[in-house]
Amino acid sequence: LKTTASYDYTKPEKIIRVNAKNRMTVDIMRSIAHEMVHHKQYEQGRLEVKPPDIGGEIEDEANAKAGQYIKLFAQKDKTLYDE
C-alpha cells in the first residue's frame, strides 16, 4: 500500500487493506475503523463514487466516526496509548 489503509468497494470481495509497518496499534485500529465506516456507507448506498481523499461529507464522517470508536475503546482499555 502507498497509503495507511484502503477499501475497494468496486470489487465483488470487499477487502480492507492496512499498512501496519512502523505504526502504533491505536493508529492501525483507527485506520481499520475508518475503512469500516466506508463499508457501512457503501452498504447504505452512500458510497457510489470514489470520495475525495481529503474533506467532503463521506471522508469527514469516516474520520469522525473512527476517532469516536477509538475513544470509546480507550475508555475500556486504558493501556491503548501505552505503546
Side-chain angles (χ1 to χ4, degrees):
L1 286 176
K2 296 182 186 211
T3 184
T4 55
S6 71
Y7 168 70
D8 189 346
Y9 59 89
T10 64
K11 295 184 179 172
E13 291 185 353
K14 308 301 183 231
I15 297 173
I16 293 172
R17 297 189 194 290
V18 179
N19 183 350
K21 187 176 181 179
N22 298 322
R23 295 177 67 198
M24 293 182 63
T25 302
V26 68
D27 188 42
I28 296 165
M29 292 170 60
R30 191 209 55 79
S31 290
I32 293 168
H34 175 100
E35 300 304 335
M36 289 178 74
V37 172
H38 281 322
H39 181 67
K40 182 169 184 166
Q41 293 166 337
Y42 170 79
E43 288 181 330
Q44 294 169 333
R46 297 173 51 219
L47 195 60
E48 296 172 0
V49 297
K50 186 175 183 338
D53 286 338
I54 301 171
E57 177 186 346
I58 294 294
E59 194 64 14
D60 288 350
E61 178 184 8
N63 284 326
K65 289 288 187 187
Q68 290 172 1
Y69 297 143
I70 292 301
K71 284 185 177 184
L72 285 169
F73 186 81
Q75 289 177 348
K76 295 179 188 242
D77 181 353
K78 305 292 185 193
T79 67
L80 185 62
Y81 297 104
D82 289 351
E83 236 178 300

